[in-house]
Amino acid sequence: MKPTTDRIRSALLALYRSIVFPTAESMRRWAFAAIVVNVGITVTGAAVRVTGSGLGCPTWPRCTPGSFVPARIDTHAPLNMAIEFGNRLLSFLVLAVAAACVVAAWRLGRGERGRPGPVQPGQGRPVLLRLALLQPAGVVVQALWGGLVVHSMLNPVTVSVHFLFSIGMTAAAVVLFARASEGDAPAQRLVHKDIRTLGYVLVAAAFTLLLAGVVVTGTGPHSGDEAASRFGFDIQTVVRLHTDVAYVVVGLTFALLFALHVTDSPGRARRAALVLLGVELSQGVVGYVQYFLAVPAALVLLHVLGAALVWICALRVVFLMRTRGPAPVPAAEQPELHHAGV
């Protein structure tokens, strides 16, 4: 029992130190954690919808009238209430990670300012703090918008925007991860400017694909509750539109990968583009299978996960096509400075 206790204590201490005494590496880890939890709550939000639990907690901010936790009411099944309430609880995990990102970015920015001597490289990266602050701000916006989703009885417009907010928070976390992994020098292209432009077009196309996807979702069978309304579009038409945009995204990705290869661009960018293409093709397989199997719930969740991964990978490719130099090392990570009495 004692070794287990010691391991738990060591893990908690390491977690504490990664926030209060952050390094460049621990900042990147917290940014990565923000990506993971934002994708996670996006997928669990889809689980709420496909299980018909969207109004499992029929009120907001309370779950049921007069109670912040699920209380038995005849109009809602306990399982649906538990699923919706569980998704609400996950917001606190997202908030906790967001708070850790903010504290770590703030502490990393302060560096060794309390020590005598000149300010050393790595002390003061306000860009990281500004990016980190987007995470708790996003959680607050999402929570308030979630109330609107409930009060609108899962109107497909409010549900769609709810998903897009999650995509936005994921993008902010990806940017935080990228900026924590590099320096603050002016951005320099590592590829031809036309290839970089193609990367931007690809990201725009990927976002358009997400928009088309939420229209399909708002038109399709998984509304979240029998009382929820739907978009009045023809499902076959919006599915074809979504598929056409997906073909454009795959075509742009193949063109980008080819351009990176023939111009002997950095290996990291080429590998990232190849990963993106693989994710897109896998997502396409899932999409076709779920369509021909009448949109089973499990495949919907997998498709939502794939959509988030396509978005993340597209953003990652763009960041790897330029450089801002290596990430500055805080004074706390520079032994020679301490040996010199700084």
Side-chain angles (χ1 to χ4, degrees):
M1 179 63 70
K2 191 175 187 303
T4 301
T5 303
D6 289 342
R7 283 196 295 270
I8 294 175
R9 185 182 294 111
S10 297
L12 292 176
L13 179 60
L15 190 67
Y16 170 78
R17 290 187 63 82
S18 72
I19 300 173
V20 180
F21 305 105
T23 64
E25 178 60 29
S26 64
M27 185 70 249
R28 286 191 291 271
R29 290 176 180 174
W30 278 115
F32 183 77
I35 296 173
V36 171
V37 296
N38 277 295
V39 171
I41 200 167
T42 302
V43 175
T44 58
V48 170
R49 178 168 49 81
V50 299
T51 57
S53 305
L55 294 176
C57 287
T59 62
W60 188 95
R62 292 179 173 86
C63 179
T64 54
S67 176
F68 284 97
V69 298
R72 184 177 180 83
I73 53 178
D74 295 336
T75 55
H76 292 77
L79 179 60
N80 294 137
M81 295 174 66
I83 292 173
E84 166 61 5
F85 183 69
N87 189 61
R88 289 190 183 187
L89 288 180
L90 282 178
S91 298
F92 291 99
L93 174 61
V94 179
L95 181 60
V97 173
C101 287
V102 171
V103 175
W106 175 63
R107 295 285 296 182
L108 189 63
R110 290 184 65 197
E112 300 285 320
R113 291 186 188 278
R115 294 179 178 271
V119 176
Q120 301 298 328
Q123 294 183 351
R125 300 191 65 194
V127 63
L128 297 185
L129 182 56
R130 289 195 297 268
L131 289 170
L133 285 170
L134 292 176
Q135 293 302 309
V139 173
V140 172
V141 171
Q142 279 285 62
L144 295 175
W145 193 266
L148 181 60
V149 171
V150 173
H151 288 296
S152 68
M153 299 294 289
L154 307 185
N155 182 283
V157 174
T158 61
V159 174
S160 298
V161 174
H162 204 35
F163 171 80
L164 293 176
F165 278 148
S166 291
I167 289 299
M169 289 182 64
T170 301
V174 171
V175 177
L176 177 61
F177 178 85
R179 294 295 283 116
S181 304
E182 61 187 8
D184 295 320
Q188 294 183 342
R189 288 185 289 104
L190 297 175
V191 300
H192 190 276
K193 63 178 181 179
D194 292 339
I195 298 178
R196 187 81 192 282
T197 300
L198 178 58
Y200 289 136
V201 173
L202 173 59
V203 170
F207 184 71
T208 303
L209 180 61
L210 293 174
L211 290 177
V214 298
V215 173
V216 173
T217 297
T219 308
H222 297 294
S223 62
D225 191 271
E226 293 181 356
S229 59
R230 302 272 77 198
F231 286 130
F233 305 121
D234 175 66
I235 186 63
Q236 298 295 334
T237 300
V238 294
V239 167
R240 281 196 295 270
L241 175 64
H242 182 55
T243 303
D244 291 342
V245 177
Y247 283 139
V248 171
V249 172
V250 172
L252 288 171
T253 304
F254 183 81
L256 178 64
L257 181 60
F258 180 77
L260 290 171
H261 179 74
V262 298
T263 56
D264 196 26
S265 297
R268 290 199 309 164
R270 283 181 286 165
R271 288 191 294 271
L274 184 60
V275 169
L276 172 59
L277 182 62
V279 172
E280 289 169 353
L281 294 177
S282 300
Q283 177 76 334
V285 171
V286 173
Y288 273 110
V289 172
Q290 74 168 2
Y291 177 77
F292 288 113
L293 294 182
V295 201
L299 287 183
V300 171
L301 300 185
L302 190 59
H303 201 56
V304 170
L305 174 61
L309 293 179
V310 167
W311 179 234
I312 291 168
C313 291
L315 292 171
R316 187 69 176 147
V317 169
V318 171
F319 278 106
L320 290 178
M321 291 194 293
R322 61 104 170 96
T323 181
R324 289 180 178 269
V329 180
E333 298 179 62
Q334 301 181 40
E336 68 276 9
L337 296 177
H338 299 292
H339 293 160
V342 176

